[in-house]
Amino acid sequence: MTQPDAQTLQRVTSALRAQRIETPSWAYANSGTRFKVFPQEGVPRNPYEKVADAAVVHRLTGVAPTVALHIPWDLVDDYADLAAYAGDQGVRLGAINANVFQDNDYKLGSVTNPDPGVRRKAIDHLLECVDIMDRTGSRDLKLWFSDGINYPGQDDIRARQDRLATALRETYDRLGDDQRLLLEYKLFEPAFYATDVPDWGTAYAHCLELGPKAQVVIDTGHHAPGTNIEFIVAFLLRAGKLGAFDFNSRFYADDDLMVGSADPFQLFRIMHEIVRGDALAPEAGIAFMLDQCHNIEPKIPAIIRSVLNVQEATAKALLVDSDALAAAQRAGDVLGANAVLMDAYNTDVRPLLAELRTDLGLDPDPMAAYARSGYFERIRAERADGQQAGWGA
Ligand code: RM4
Ligand code: MN
């Protein structure tokens, strides 16, 4: 491939400067598998310390200015105070994630539970999350439901769809003008026979019925093996119904590993559709979020690495010669069109990104800068006592 010309470089770097990636508060806390949570040193003990860690990631990468919260994991007395603290640290509070999957009452489901009392409790939590959004200034309410059934006949599939629609409607109607409901889908787990929101089609249909403030979230880990995720991206973007990504990587199921680690080519293909759909700039309204857990690797460096992986895939997608691609496609030049894409994918964009960071006044190597910063040594000492934050708190 020929080196990108000055005009291309200018276009690519200005798009990369504007890119925004949101990090998840829970990725900074302890997490694990069903088998074991391995605690790490220096892990935050409360939402303030999670925000402080997120601010470090932003200071070093320059592209991660918001941090998503998960309620009740990030319950605080005063959300305005947490938002002010975030501001002091140079970041903002991002999406509010509801949690209706960790209470004994939800054994048979939350908003689709056959018991109307449990459904009421679940909906009240969703409404409480919108109250929190009002105080944090968050735009997005992200909903993932663990609801579903394990055995044929356990509950009525169709009635559960009705209950879901009712809950979503009440929540949607509570949203302010500038707020959105983002509906996430997941093929299976923890329900194994029938999940109530198993796929993008189901999420899309509910969002369509709700109205313009409802959009679909694509969590990259929530598909069957081999699913063409970039097709879903293209389809939802075209329909104006793509709201956000939960980025992560999977080798098997919902592994929540670092984005771009299992299949960087898939991430490139996804970002290519984003660029193709003119959806990269923050004004396009797509939230690019990470939804990851760092169970055995150090958390802050893993999150920095993840942000860099998204940037690298984006840079490659921006390098696709769209004129040459369109020409090859028009001419029916199958191999030529594929070569245009592969040329971009095979470009080493690390020097370009290092230069961009230098221009932004950042260290060209955020991983090395973090290692040198002494931040880990500091939090290890400062956070030696007390209860570390995790999935339950
Ligand atoms: C779910 C889903 C949600 C996330 C939780 C922790 O599988 O991906 O987005 O909030 O996990
Ligand atoms: Mn997710």
Side-chain angles (χ1 to χ4, degrees):
M1 185 189 184
T2 50
Q3 281 307 303
D5 57 44
Q7 206 187 342
T8 305
L9 266 183
Q10 156 72 25
R11 178 180 57 76
V12 171
T13 50
S14 79
L16 289 170
R17 270 170 190 265
Q19 182 173 34
R20 295 289 171 262
I21 298 159
E22 181 160 313
T23 71
S25 69
W26 54 99
Y28 300 97
N30 279 330
S31 58
T33 64
R34 289 189 289 131
F35 304 101
K36 170 75 179 154
V37 172
F38 296 102
Q40 293 191 16
E41 290 179 310
V43 158
R45 293 160 300 177
N46 55 55
Y48 287 82
E49 291 179 347
K50 295 179 198 175
V51 167
D53 289 0
V56 169
V57 172
H58 179 49
R59 279 200 284 281
L60 292 168
T61 62
V63 293
T66 55
V67 52
L69 301 186
H70 217 298
I71 311 298
W73 298 342
D74 293 318
L75 215 52
V76 292
D77 293 335
D78 184 346
Y79 283 96
D81 185 67
L82 184 64
Y85 175 76
D88 292 343
Q89 298 288 309
V91 290
R92 280 174 289 112
L93 303 179
I96 299 297
N97 287 254
N99 183 329
V100 283
F101 50 86
Q102 283 187 313
D103 190 290
N104 288 340
D105 281 342
Y106 299 141
K107 185 167 82 169
L108 300 180
S110 63
V111 295
T112 66
N113 195 297
D115 179 342
V118 175
R119 298 206 292 275
R120 186 67 256 156
K121 171 175 168 168
I123 298 173
D124 284 344
H125 172 71
L126 306 185
L127 299 177
E128 178 202 346
C129 286
V130 185
D131 291 342
I132 292 172
M133 290 162 69
D134 290 341
R135 279 174 269 148
T136 55
S138 300
R139 177 188 57 178
D140 295 333
L141 173 67
K142 180 144 68 73
L143 302 180
W144 173 71
F145 298 106
S146 63
D147 295 43
I149 52 183
N150 273 1
Y151 295 99
Q154 180 191 323
D155 196 8
D156 188 274
I157 291 174
R158 187 173 162 148
R160 291 177 77 93
Q161 285 299 309
D162 291 341
R163 297 171 201 148
L164 173 66
T166 303
L168 291 175
R169 170 55 61 197
E170 188 173 342
T171 310
Y172 184 92
D173 287 346
R174 166 66 184 83
L175 294 174
D177 290 343
D178 299 324
Q179 293 174 336
R180 305 191 300 180
L181 180 160
L182 302 178
L183 182 57
E184 186 171 348
Y185 58 89
K186 181 177 175 181
L187 181 62
F188 77 104
E189 199 203 21
F192 291 105
Y193 161 59
T195 297
D196 292 321
V197 191
D199 51 30
W200 69 268
T202 308
Y204 173 67
H206 280 284
C207 287
L208 211 55
E209 196 176 306
L210 287 168
K213 287 187 280 183
Q215 290 182 305
V216 180
V217 185
I218 298 178
D219 182 313
T220 47
H222 288 188
H223 305 86
T227 300
N228 181 338
I229 298 177
E230 60 270 26
F231 172 83
I232 303 169
V233 175
F235 184 97
L236 291 176
L237 263 183
R238 180 176 174 276
K241 280 294 185 192
L242 179 59
F245 285 95
D246 266 3
F247 279 136
N248 50 50
S249 280
R250 66 192 284 285
F251 287 100
Y252 297 102
D254 187 21
D255 304 343
D256 281 344
L257 301 173
M258 293 186 298
V259 58
S261 58
D263 186 352
F265 184 44
Q266 178 189 61
L267 184 60
F268 162 78
R269 300 192 309 264
I270 289 170
M271 295 315 295
H272 170 61
E273 285 307 326
I274 288 293
V275 172
R276 164 71 181 82
D278 212 9
L280 185 62
E283 307 80 65
I286 314 295
F288 298 92
M289 305 184 279
L290 306 181
D291 177 11
Q292 303 184 163
C293 291
H294 307 292
N295 302 340
I296 57 168
E297 64 275 30
K299 294 162 197 298
I300 296 175
I303 298 166
I304 295 172
R305 175 83 267 160
S306 305
V307 169
L308 306 189
N309 286 353
V310 175
Q311 275 189 306
E312 285 174 20
T314 307
K316 291 178 183 210
L318 286 162
L319 281 172
V320 171
D321 184 339
S322 52
D323 292 340
L325 182 61
Q329 289 172 346
R330 268 194 313 273
D333 181 359
V334 176
L335 293 178
N338 180 241
V340 172
L341 224 59
M342 295 313 294
D343 270 348
Y345 177 66
N346 287 319
T347 308
D348 184 359
V349 294
R350 290 172 299 180
L352 179 159
L353 283 163
E355 208 176 302
L356 175 74
R357 292 188 193 108
T358 306
D359 286 351
L360 291 170
L362 303 170
D363 191 293
D365 183 350
M367 294 292 286
Y370 176 74
R372 274 197 318 270
S373 70
Y375 186 76
F376 176 65
E377 290 70 16
R378 187 154 71 77
I379 56 176
R380 183 169 55 187
E382 282 177 8
R383 300 174 183 171
D385 302 323
Q387 173 79 36
Q388 295 187 322
W391 282 344

